[in-house]
Amino acid sequence: MKAHLITYGCQMNEYDTHLVQSQLVSFGAQIVDSVDEADFVLINTCAVRGKPVDKVRSVLGTLRKLKAERPLVIGMMGCLAQLEEGQQIARKFEVDVLLGPGSLLDIGKALESNERFWGLQFKDELHDHIPPPPQGKLQAHLTIMRGCDHHCTYCIVPTTRGPQVSRHPDQILRELEMQLAAGVQEVTLLGQNVNAYGVDGGAKLAGYPSFANLLRMVGQSGVRRIKFTTSHPMNFTEDVAAAMAETPAVCEFVHLPVQSGSNRVLRRMAREYTREEYLHHIANIRKHIPNAVLATDIIVGFPGETEADFEDTLSLYDEVGYDSAYMFAYSARPGTPSYKHFEDLPRELKVERLTRLIAKQKDWSARKNAAHVGSIQEVLLRGDAFSEGFLEGHTRGNHPTVVPKVLGITGAGVHRVRINQATPHMMYGNLIDANGENLPEVPRFAPEAAALVSPLQMA
Ligand code: 5AD
Ligand code: SF4
């Protein structure tokens, strides 16, 4: 069998795609790079906003046409698959295999079955399954929990991924050990709300450490860099900030979604914290990690959001001074409380506010990134950048970074870089030696032509 997998959505989905893909390989499947070569196409879906759902519809439309012309098995997994909305789409587009986020290990059964196979149960066995580490990659994801116990009124995730289930620390450390043996240098601990790790359904689990202590444990594994995503402010304790500060491998990067700066909107979103409480967490983070790089998620145009509410979000952005942000216009999702109870604002209003927020974010990211010019950063290089003659990677603070190739360093690795230029979305620098001197660059064949495409010129 030749299988092709397509992934939408978050890092959790990337992890899940890797998990299912490695199952397929263990059944003898060959993974191919395009739909044209494949006899099984599996789409890992996201349901968090309308756009990723539309995207899935359009890909399925193309696949259904292909299926009319030649043998093709169509599969759909992930968050959308779990919803009635997704199942309707699956029926319409003749999907053969449907796997919700809790049923991924049914992939074997699904392929053995001669008829349509739909797996929609939540099975804890997922946590005991250790997928093989990614091959030839320095970065890996590591799931520490699944699902979410919060009930934010806009969010479909508690429905698609179910209540929170923490993974036993032994399984986490076993998977990490395999990743380290495979050469992984940066691990990102994943969960919908990693800070609540070890406390499922409000009950502390015996034998599970707190998230702060899990960070300390993972810090002792010898992994070079640790990141984690994502956190709910309500569960962000000062001990997490302290564990970050005292564990050298934990990167100075915190993604703490705020969603809105208005207490009225936060209440209607059922976020369970106030603007003031959120700012208190930020102050704690800065107290323990003065150079923390801060990122957030913001939804603009939540039902009932007034101009004054939105201005509260703008002022909170200034008060925190985020390094980066994921910003979204509210998308009414069937099955969520806000869809049921509140009226959606006009699209133009949401777009107008989103545009204003993006301008603010760009301004702050420019300022924050510019402040790093002249600094020395540890950059995990992944390989060739878009522009020929350059390598790309990211810092401990998650800044995408581009450097000219130097003699002797051609690919992946963790290296020291002096930053010499920055834009809102990118930093540029030079690889340096132990004395801080620039390493000799690889001569580029046509310097004038290279200069034309040099990212330094794109600033
Ligand atoms: N509309 C817009 N954005 C949403 N998010 C979650 N649900 C919605 C929605 N209905 C955003 C939140 C969350 C991120 C993953 O997606 O900001 O943190
Ligand atoms: Fe990830 Fe949420 Fe999208 Fe599911 S709905 S794929 S958890 S972002």
Side-chain angles (χ1 to χ4, degrees), residues 8-13 44-49 52 78-80 101 155-157 160-161 192:
Y8 297 106
C10 60
Q11 288 169 312
M12 184 72 92
N13 265 18
N44 195 356
T45 61
C46 173
V48 81
R49 282 173 295 277
C79 285
L80 183 59
C155 192
I156 197 70
V157 174
T160 63
R161 286 191 175 265
Q192 261 65 46

Side-chain angles (χ1 to χ4, degrees), residues 253-300:
F253 177 80
V254 182
H255 178 241
L256 198 59
V258 69
Q259 312 299 0
S260 169
S262 152
N263 279 334
R264 204 179 66 89
V265 174
L266 288 172
R267 214 167 35 244
R268 287 161 63 89
M269 288 176 163
R271 286 292 284 175
E272 303 172 272
Y273 56 84
T274 62
R275 172 192 179 104
E276 293 71 27
E277 283 162 349
Y278 181 88
L279 287 170
H280 180 70
H281 292 308
I282 297 290
N284 271 337
I285 293 168
R286 289 230 160 97
K287 183 173 92 188
H288 289 275
I289 313 142
N291 61 342
V293 174
L294 294 173
T296 197
D297 290 356
I298 295 177
I299 298 175
V300 303

Side-chain angles (χ1 to χ4, degrees), residues 405-442:
K405 281 185 179 166
V406 301
L407 295 168
I409 299 177
T410 48
V414 176
H415 298 281
R416 274 156 47 94
V417 169
R418 183 182 297 105
I419 304 300
N420 52 35
Q421 200 165 342
T423 69
H425 304 296
M426 191 72 83
M427 305 214 295
Y428 305 97
N430 291 101
L431 288 158
I432 56 172
D433 65 16
N435 300 321
E437 302 292 333
N438 283 1
L439 288 165
E441 286 182 29
V442 175

